[in-house]
Amino acid sequence: ASSPQPSTSTPSSIPEPNTHYRITSRRSAISLGARIKGTLVALGLHRRMQTVYHRHDPETAGKILAVKELVEVENVPASAVRTKTEQRRERKAPRGFVVVRSKFPG
């Protein structure tokens, strides 16, 4: 019996490394201390459901740990990072209209 040959992977099949945190504020910081509010502001989070991206580094990881009960964190590759305007464009409804159903036969 011959041994199985190791599969040669193409560069496109190699998964992209996760280099950024996607941080989304899930809970409000109202009635919490000034240090917690300051940490959220330092991360760039000013309101609930706001999403920001930060590079992996120890300083950011420490800030996330300080507010871990208030935020949702996901590791993402650099290609998934979106700027503020890109996020707004993705949320925006497309212009124009779409006919879903017509009472008049076509």
Side-chain angles (χ1 to χ4, degrees):
S2 66
S3 64
Q5 295 290 330
S7 63
T8 56
S9 60
T10 61
S12 62
S13 68
I14 298 173
E16 194 175 352
N18 293 330
T19 58
H20 288 75
Y21 296 116
R22 176 189 296 152
I23 308 166
T24 303
S25 174
R26 293 293 179 195
R27 307 228 14 194
S28 173
I30 293 175
S31 79
L32 294 177
R35 288 187 66 168
I36 298 295
K37 289 180 183 178
T39 303
L40 287 175
V41 169
L43 283 170
L45 297 169
H46 300 282
R47 63 189 66 85
R48 282 185 66 236
M49 306 307 286
Q50 182 181 2
T51 300
V52 293
Y53 294 87
H54 286 284
R55 214 170 235 310
H56 286 175
D57 66 343
E59 183 178 324
T60 305
K63 290 176 185 176
I64 291 169
L65 282 174
V67 294
K68 64 183 177 283
E69 296 86 5
L70 306 176
V71 297
E72 181 179 294
V73 181
E74 186 179 346
N75 289 315
V76 295
S79 63
V81 174
R82 302 283 182 258
T83 64
K84 194 177 197 180
T85 54
E86 289 172 337
Q87 290 180 46
R88 187 177 297 127
R89 196 175 302 125
E90 289 172 359
R91 279 194 311 267
K92 195 171 184 180
R95 295 188 69 180
F97 65 92
V98 176
V99 177
V100 177
R101 183 179 65 220
S102 176
K103 291 184 176 184
F104 306 109

